[in-house]
Amino acid sequence: MEIFIKSTKDGTMQPSLYYEATEKNRPLLVGLHTWSYDRFNQETTLLPIVKKHNFNLLLPEFRGCNKRYNPIRFQACGSELAKQDIKDAIDYIVKEFDVDEENIFLFGESGGGHMALLMSAYCPEYFKAVAATVPISNIKEWAEENEEYRDDVISCCEGDEEEMMKRSPISYIDDIAKANLKIFHGKYDPVVPVKQSIGLYNKIVERHPDCRVFLDIFDGKHQTDKVTVWHWLLSQYKDENSKTQVTG
């Protein structure tokens, strides 16, 4: 179903998609769209997964794509308005529907991974676990290196380098360290270099060695192994531990 939620920041009505589980008090998966698309982007990908496990699914819009042709692009791309839209949408779902608010999960890939990292800093207490795949952690650095997306970043941030850093997860390592987060990144990613995730991870664990932030560098490019990602998210929901101690 499509729902409209009033922003607590600017009072505008913001759209989201919501799919309700067939049982009460089931977990909620929040899926974030990628850089160039909107709330419908993750619908066909995530619906089969949540139906299989009978989770609720929320797909917020958070001001649309991060493209230069988006007429409200300055409000997108990790802005304070965009982050609050996701938080407002979760608050609305928890209030209006019977969901297990102790088990809210967040998933995003690429541009959605960028947003998942920002939300890990913005309200880490909301999420049982966060999975961010092939994310951008420093959009200023990324724009300097990636000609295809450079104009998008410049346009969304109005060419302001300080604004670019405000919208970069690398600026919030102390807050991200409060989240239960796993980053998945392809070693040979030609779109978002793996060093984006390695750099972020190293800075976080250097300052917060006991945090629950993990990095999985897999054999791949700019892609997501949703089986692996979903297996990790489910392990956090069920609190299963299949690991065995290795002896020397």
Side-chain angles (χ1 to χ4, degrees):
M1 73 178 79
E2 188 167 45
I3 55 178
F4 291 86
I5 300 154
K6 189 174 184 178
S7 166
T8 56
K9 276 201 176 291
D10 68 0
T12 58
M13 300 301 293
Q14 296 298 320
S16 289
L17 300 176
Y18 182 63
Y19 301 90
E20 195 171 7
T22 59
E23 298 174 11
K24 302 298 183 183
N25 198 39
R26 294 296 297 161
L28 173 66
L29 176 65
V30 183
L32 305 180
H33 64 73
T34 57
W35 185 270
S36 304
Y37 296 91
D38 58 16
R39 64 193 180 280
F40 296 96
N41 169 244
Q42 292 292 332
E43 189 176 20
T44 56
T45 298
L46 295 180
L47 260 180
I49 295 173
V50 297
K51 286 180 177 179
K52 178 180 178 181
H53 297 280
N54 205 15
F55 277 31
N56 299 284
L57 175 64
L58 171 65
L59 302 175
E61 177 83 349
F62 53 100
R63 310 289 163 139
C65 66
N66 302 333
K67 300 296 288 183
R68 52 194 175 276
Y69 52 72
N70 180 354
I72 56 168
R73 56 193 173 274
F74 188 72
Q75 298 177 20
C77 196
S79 73
E80 292 298 307
L81 286 170
K83 291 186 288 188
Q84 189 62 40
D85 284 351
I86 296 171
K87 191 177 181 185
D88 287 341
I90 296 170
D91 288 340
Y92 177 86
I93 294 301
V94 168
K95 180 181 177 182
E96 298 295 329
F97 296 90
D98 189 351
V99 304
D100 179 1
E101 58 187 290
E102 297 299 316
N103 282 289
I104 298 176
F105 300 87
L106 183 65
F107 167 77
E109 55 188 344
S110 191
H114 161 253
M115 203 66 191
L117 294 177
L118 287 174
M119 294 307 295
S120 295
Y122 195 62
C123 52
E125 73 280 3
Y126 271 45
F127 308 110
K128 183 71 171 286
V130 179
T133 73
V134 294
I136 307 119
S137 63
N138 186 328
I139 64 170
K140 178 180 177 294
E141 182 181 273
W142 185 55
E144 291 169 353
E145 299 177 343
N146 192 314
E147 186 176 346
E148 182 179 354
Y149 292 94
R150 183 178 303 150
D151 287 346
D152 292 339
V153 174
I154 291 172
S155 186
C156 287
C157 299
E158 297 184 340
D160 187 333
E161 293 189 358
E162 185 177 339
E163 190 67 33
M164 293 178 194
M165 294 313 298
K166 276 186 185 178
R167 299 171 186 230
S168 293
I170 198 77
S171 299
Y172 306 100
I173 59 175
D174 293 330
D175 293 315
I176 293 175
K178 300 172 185 176
N180 182 27
L181 163 70
K182 193 163 190 176
I183 302 167
F184 300 82
H185 213 125
K187 184 177 181 180
Y188 309 106
D189 190 338
V191 180
V192 181
V194 68
K195 69 177 182 178
Q196 288 262 331
S197 290
I198 294 173
L200 176 68
Y201 174 78
N202 285 342
K203 285 181 179 294
I204 292 171
V205 297
E206 181 180 356
R207 192 177 294 182
H208 303 279
D210 297 326
C211 70
R212 287 195 54 81
V213 176
F214 309 97
L215 175 61
D216 181 337
I217 300 175
F218 60 88
D219 182 4
K221 297 183 180 180
H222 194 66
Q223 60 198 110
T224 301
D225 179 353
K226 289 187 173 61
V227 173
T228 301
V229 173
W230 190 248
H231 181 269
W232 183 74
L233 287 174
L234 278 180
S235 75
Q236 302 307 294
Y237 168 49
K238 297 179 179 179
D239 201 25
E240 293 175 345
N241 191 345
S242 60
K243 301 177 181 65
T244 57
Q245 187 69 34
V246 178
T247 57

PDB file of all heavy atoms in Angstrom, residues 22-37:
ATOM      1  N   THR A  22       1.404 -11.130   7.429  1.00  0.00           N
ATOM      2  CA  THR A  22       0.106 -11.783   7.633  1.00  0.00           C
ATOM      3  C   THR A  22      -0.160 -12.120   9.095  1.00  0.00           C
ATOM      4  O   THR A  22      -1.254 -12.545   9.444  1.00  0.00           O
ATOM      5  CB  THR A  22       0.022 -13.077   6.798  1.00  0.00           C
ATOM      6  OG1 THR A  22       1.087 -13.966   7.181  1.00  0.00           O
ATOM      7  CG2 THR A  22       0.132 -12.765   5.317  1.00  0.00           C
ATOM      8  N   GLU A  23       0.852 -11.944   9.941  1.00  0.00           N
ATOM      9  CA  GLU A  23       0.685 -12.167  11.377  1.00  0.00           C
ATOM     10  C   GLU A  23       1.026 -10.891  12.127  1.00  0.00           C
ATOM     11  O   GLU A  23       1.749 -10.032  11.621  1.00  0.00           O
ATOM     12  CB  GLU A  23       1.585 -13.308  11.857  1.00  0.00           C
ATOM     13  CG  GLU A  23       1.277 -14.651  11.208  1.00  0.00           C
ATOM     14  CD  GLU A  23       2.288 -15.716  11.603  1.00  0.00           C
ATOM     15  OE1 GLU A  23       3.094 -15.461  12.536  1.00  0.00           O
ATOM     16  OE2 GLU A  23       2.291 -16.785  10.982  1.00  0.00           O
ATOM     17  N   LYS A  24       0.530 -10.777  13.344  1.00  0.00           N
ATOM     18  CA  LYS A  24       0.798  -9.608  14.165  1.00  0.00           C
ATOM     19  C   LYS A  24       2.184  -9.705  14.800  1.00  0.00           C
ATOM     20  O   LYS A  24       2.757 -10.774  14.941  1.00  0.00           O
ATOM     21  CB  LYS A  24      -0.272  -9.463  15.254  1.00  0.00           C
ATOM     22  CG  LYS A  24      -1.687  -9.340  14.729  1.00  0.00           C
ATOM     23  CD  LYS A  24      -1.856  -8.083  13.875  1.00  0.00           C
ATOM     24  CE  LYS A  24      -3.307  -7.919  13.420  1.00  0.00           C
ATOM     25  NZ  LYS A  24      -3.455  -6.739  12.539  1.00  0.00           N
ATOM     26  N   ASN A  25       2.700  -8.547  15.198  1.00  0.00           N
ATOM     27  CA  ASN A  25       3.954  -8.451  15.950  1.00  0.00           C
ATOM     28  C   ASN A  25       5.125  -9.132  15.247  1.00  0.00           C
ATOM     29  O   ASN A  25       5.924  -9.825  15.867  1.00  0.00           O
ATOM     30  CB  ASN A  25       3.773  -9.039  17.364  1.00  0.00           C
ATOM     31  CG  ASN A  25       4.872  -8.570  18.310  1.00  0.00           C
ATOM     32  OD1 ASN A  25       5.294  -7.415  18.272  1.00  0.00           O
ATOM     33  ND2 ASN A  25       5.335  -9.469  19.157  1.00  0.00           N
ATOM     34  N   ARG A  26       5.217  -8.914  13.937  1.00  0.00           N
ATOM     35  CA  ARG A  26       6.333  -9.454  13.168  1.00  0.00           C
ATOM     36  C   ARG A  26       7.394  -8.362  12.960  1.00  0.00           C
ATOM     37  O   ARG A  26       7.102  -7.172  13.054  1.00  0.00           O
ATOM     38  CB  ARG A  26       5.840  -9.971  11.810  1.00  0.00           C
ATOM     39  CG  ARG A  26       4.907 -11.163  11.900  1.00  0.00           C
ATOM     40  CD  ARG A  26       5.621 -12.371  12.477  1.00  0.00           C
ATOM     41  NE  ARG A  26       6.725 -12.799  11.622  1.00  0.00           N
ATOM     42  CZ  ARG A  26       7.732 -13.566  12.021  1.00  0.00           C
ATOM     43  NH1 ARG A  26       7.804 -13.969  13.272  1.00  0.00           N
ATOM     44  NH2 ARG A  26       8.687 -13.914  11.181  1.00  0.00           N
ATOM     45  N   PRO A  27       8.634  -8.744  12.683  1.00  0.00           N
ATOM     46  CA  PRO A  27       9.691  -7.757  12.468  1.00  0.00           C
ATOM     47  C   PRO A  27       9.404  -6.847  11.274  1.00  0.00           C
ATOM     48  O   PRO A  27       8.580  -7.159  10.404  1.00  0.00           O
ATOM     49  CB  PRO A  27      10.928  -8.626  12.204  1.00  0.00           C
ATOM     50  CG  PRO A  27      10.625  -9.932  12.841  1.00  0.00           C
ATOM     51  CD  PRO A  27       9.152 -10.126  12.650  1.00  0.00           C
ATOM     52  N   LEU A  28      10.123  -5.737  11.241  1.00  0.00           N
ATOM     53  CA  LEU A  28      10.001  -4.760  10.161  1.00  0.00           C
ATOM     54  C   LEU A  28      11.340  -4.625   9.454  1.00  0.00           C
ATOM     55  O   LEU A  28      12.371  -4.386  10.090  1.00  0.00           O
ATOM     56  CB  LEU A  28       9.588  -3.397  10.735  1.00  0.00           C
ATOM     57  CG  LEU A  28       9.587  -2.213   9.757  1.00  0.00           C
ATOM     58  CD1 LEU A  28       8.526  -2.392   8.672  1.00  0.00           C
ATOM     59  CD2 LEU A  28       9.378  -0.889  10.509  1.00  0.00           C
ATOM     60  N   LEU A  29      11.317  -4.782   8.131  1.00  0.00           N
ATOM     61  CA  LEU A  29      12.487  -4.508   7.303  1.00  0.00           C
ATOM     62  C   LEU A  29      12.277  -3.180   6.598  1.00  0.00           C
ATOM     63  O   LEU A  29      11.261  -2.972   5.935  1.00  0.00           O
ATOM     64  CB  LEU A  29      12.696  -5.615   6.270  1.00  0.00           C
ATOM     65  CG  LEU A  29      13.856  -5.388   5.282  1.00  0.00           C
ATOM     66  CD1 LEU A  29      15.205  -5.376   6.010  1.00  0.00           C
ATOM     67  CD2 LEU A  29      13.854  -6.442   4.179  1.00  0.00           C
ATOM     68  N   VAL A  30      13.226  -2.277   6.747  1.00  0.00           N
ATOM     69  CA  VAL A  30      13.201  -0.993   6.054  1.00  0.00           C
ATOM     70  C   VAL A  30      14.199  -1.071   4.903  1.00  0.00           C
ATOM     71  O   VAL A  30      15.393  -1.288   5.118  1.00  0.00           O
ATOM     72  CB  VAL A  30      13.575   0.162   7.000  1.00  0.00           C
ATOM     73  CG1 VAL A  30      13.473   1.501   6.269  1.00  0.00           C
ATOM     74  CG2 VAL A  30      12.686   0.149   8.243  1.00  0.00           C
ATOM     75  N   GLY A  31      13.706  -0.942   3.679  1.00  0.00           N
ATOM     76  CA  GLY A  31      14.560  -1.042   2.494  1.00  0.00           C
ATOM     77  C   GLY A  31      14.745   0.323   1.845  1.00  0.00           C
ATOM     78  O   GLY A  31      13.766   1.043   1.603  1.00  0.00           O
ATOM     79  N   LEU A  32      15.985   0.677   1.572  1.00  0.00           N
ATOM     80  CA  LEU A  32      16.303   2.004   1.039  1.00  0.00           C
ATOM     81  C   LEU A  32      16.681   1.930  -0.441  1.00  0.00           C
ATOM     82  O   LEU A  32      17.518   1.119  -0.829  1.00  0.00           O
ATOM     83  CB  LEU A  32      17.451   2.618   1.842  1.00  0.00           C
ATOM     84  CG  LEU A  32      17.219   2.697   3.352  1.00  0.00           C
ATOM     85  CD1 LEU A  32      18.428   3.314   4.047  1.00  0.00           C
ATOM     86  CD2 LEU A  32      15.953   3.495   3.679  1.00  0.00           C
ATOM     87  N   HIS A  33      16.094   2.804  -1.229  1.00  0.00           N
ATOM     88  CA  HIS A  33      16.328   2.783  -2.678  1.00  0.00           C
ATOM     89  C   HIS A  33      17.740   3.235  -3.026  1.00  0.00           C
ATOM     90  O   HIS A  33      18.442   3.877  -2.228  1.00  0.00           O
ATOM     91  CB  HIS A  33      15.282   3.615  -3.419  1.00  0.00           C
ATOM     92  CG  HIS A  33      15.289   5.085  -3.101  1.00  0.00           C
ATOM     93  ND1 HIS A  33      16.269   5.935  -3.544  1.00  0.00           N
ATOM     94  CD2 HIS A  33      14.417   5.859  -2.399  1.00  0.00           C
ATOM     95  CE1 HIS A  33      16.006   7.175  -3.154  1.00  0.00           C
ATOM     96  NE2 HIS A  33      14.899   7.156  -2.432  1.00  0.00           N
ATOM     97  N   THR A  34      18.158   2.905  -4.223  1.00  0.00           N
ATOM     98  CA  THR A  34      19.513   3.218  -4.672  1.00  0.00           C
ATOM     99  C   THR A  34      19.623   4.675  -5.149  1.00  0.00           C
ATOM    100  O   THR A  34      18.650   5.427  -5.139  1.00  0.00           O
ATOM    101  CB  THR A  34      19.954   2.250  -5.782  1.00  0.00           C
ATOM    102  OG1 THR A  34      19.007   2.313  -6.867  1.00  0.00           O
ATOM    103  CG2 THR A  34      20.019   0.828  -5.268  1.00  0.00           C
ATOM    104  N   TRP A  35      20.806   5.052  -5.560  1.00  0.00           N
ATOM    105  CA  TRP A  35      21.151   6.439  -5.881  1.00  0.00           C
ATOM    106  C   TRP A  35      20.223   7.066  -6.923  1.00  0.00           C
ATOM    107  O   TRP A  35      19.777   8.203  -6.761  1.00  0.00           O
ATOM    108  CB  TRP A  35      22.593   6.474  -6.393  1.00  0.00           C
ATOM    109  CG  TRP A  35      23.150   7.834  -6.646  1.00  0.00           C
ATOM    110  CD1 TRP A  35      23.087   8.541  -7.827  1.00  0.00           C
ATOM    111  CD2 TRP A  35      23.860   8.662  -5.719  1.00  0.00           C
ATOM    112  NE1 TRP A  35      23.725   9.758  -7.688  1.00  0.00           N
ATOM    113  CE2 TRP A  35      24.208   9.862  -6.398  1.00  0.00           C
ATOM    114  CE3 TRP A  35      24.249   8.517  -4.389  1.00  0.00           C
ATOM    115  CZ2 TRP A  35      24.909  10.886  -5.791  1.00  0.00           C
ATOM    116  CZ3 TRP A  35      24.944   9.541  -3.774  1.00  0.00           C
ATOM    117  CH2 TRP A  35      25.269  10.709  -4.478  1.00  0.00           C
ATOM    118  N   SER A  36      19.931   6.327  -7.987  1.00  0.00           N
ATOM    119  CA  SER A  36      19.254   6.914  -9.146  1.00  0.00           C
ATOM    120  C   SER A  36      17.757   6.635  -9.207  1.00  0.00           C
ATOM    121  O   SER A  36      17.117   6.968 -10.212  1.00  0.00           O
ATOM    122  CB  SER A  36      19.909   6.390 -10.438  1.00  0.00           C
ATOM    123  OG  SER A  36      21.285   6.646 -10.448  1.00  0.00           O
ATOM    124  N   TYR A  37      17.187   6.067  -8.142  1.00  0.00           N
ATOM    125  CA  TYR A  37      15.781   5.630  -8.227  1.00  0.00           C
ATOM    126  C   TYR A  37      14.981   6.112  -7.026  1.00  0.00           C
ATOM    127  O   TYR A  37      15.463   6.902  -6.207  1.00  0.00           O
ATOM    128  CB  TYR A  37      15.737   4.110  -8.366  1.00  0.00           C
ATOM    129  CG  TYR A  37      16.368   3.641  -9.654  1.00  0.00           C
ATOM    130  CD1 TYR A  37      17.715   3.312  -9.707  1.00  0.00           C
ATOM    131  CD2 TYR A  37      15.628   3.579 -10.830  1.00  0.00           C
ATOM    132  CE1 TYR A  37      18.312   2.911 -10.889  1.00  0.00           C
ATOM    133  CE2 TYR A  37      16.212   3.180 -12.024  1.00  0.00           C
ATOM    134  CZ  TYR A  37      17.554   2.856 -12.044  1.00  0.00           C
ATOM    135  OH  TYR A  37      18.135   2.473 -13.229  1.00  0.00           O
TER     136      TYR A  37
END
